[in-house]
Amino acid sequence: MNSFFSKVCVLLSALPALVWSLTIPNADTPAFYLVSSSQSSANLLPLRMNSGGAGHVSLLGGGTPALFYFYQGQLTVYDPNGNSFPYRPLIDSAQDANGCENFGALTFVQGTSTNKCSRYTSFQIQSNNQDSQLGAELVFNYVGGFYACNSGQEVWYKINANDGPSGCQPIHLYTVPAA
């Protein structure tokens, strides 16, 4: 499975050399997609926007694949409707008796969320230690990981695999250049 993903990444990484990368005006980075890697059925699927734009992110939804870039150090999602007000990804954690939970659904919002447990600022991309040409992996706080949950393959972040919804499969989210 990893060998197949490696071959796909190598082929996709050659695309920027053949065509110009898509660059969003004022962005800090060229645009990229995030594609899942997993040993489950959630393998090689792009993160998709909710069909209404804002909302929970999934791998099998009806929305368009989300186009990402960094702007002023923050992970940002391009609005496919051309709106100059981009989407912001966040981890939509809930509050319990002990404070904010350490898991939540990956969600896109325009503006800010009214949920005081939402976390925006800890998204980073980390180069592959074995071969940096294979793309970088999306991480959050450098702990925990992402999971595909439910039949729509909603994407969740969890520090502990047993937290949050059950029946989830671990996934890795890798960058693929947008051309």
Side-chain angles (χ1 to χ4, degrees), residues 49-54 63-67 77-87 108 110:
M49 300 196 64
N50 186 303
S51 55
T64 62
L67 187 60
V77 182
Y78 179 75
D79 182 354
N81 296 322
N83 187 337
S84 61
F85 201 52
Y87 287 92
F108 296 154
Q110 280 184 310

Side-chain angles (χ1 to χ4, degrees), residues 9-173:
C9 285
V10 168
L11 288 174
L12 291 174
S13 68
L15 279 176
L18 301 174
V19 295
W20 291 97
S21 293
L22 176 63
T23 303
I24 310 294
N26 300 317
D28 299 336
T29 62
F32 57 91
Y33 295 101
L34 287 169
V35 177
S36 66
S37 172
S38 173
Q39 294 189 8
S40 71
S41 61
N43 194 37
L44 299 178
L45 297 173
L47 282 185
R48 292 186 170 277
M49 300 196 64
N50 186 303
S51 55
H56 293 276
V57 177
S58 71
L59 299 172
L60 298 176
T64 62
L67 187 60
F68 295 88
Y69 61 98
F70 277 87
Y71 174 73
Q72 297 181 347
Q74 299 297 313
L75 184 63
T76 306
V77 182
Y78 179 75
D79 182 354
N81 296 322
N83 187 337
S84 61
F85 201 52
Y87 287 92
R88 297 174 63 195
L90 62 89
I91 302 299
D92 194 22
S93 298
Q95 187 170 6
D96 63 13
N98 298 321
C100 296
E101 296 175 324
N102 59 5
F103 62 90
L106 179 60
T107 303
F108 296 154
V109 295
Q110 280 184 310
T112 58
S113 171
T114 57
N115 178 356
K116 68 179 184 176
C117 289
S118 294
R119 294 174 280 167
Y120 297 91
T121 58
S122 298
F123 291 99
Q124 299 93 18
I125 52 174
Q126 184 175 18
S127 293
N128 185 314
N129 331 5
Q130 296 177 0
D131 188 351
S132 62
Q133 293 181 358
L134 294 179
E137 183 175 3
L138 181 70
V139 295
F140 187 80
N141 274 344
Y142 296 103
V143 295
F146 292 97
Y147 291 80
C149 304
N150 306 320
S151 61
Q153 299 292 304
E154 285 184 348
V155 178
W156 284 70
Y157 166 78
K158 302 179 182 192
I159 290 179
N160 302 307
N162 295 331
D163 292 341
S166 60
C168 300
Q169 300 298 319
I171 60 172
H172 297 275
L173 298 170

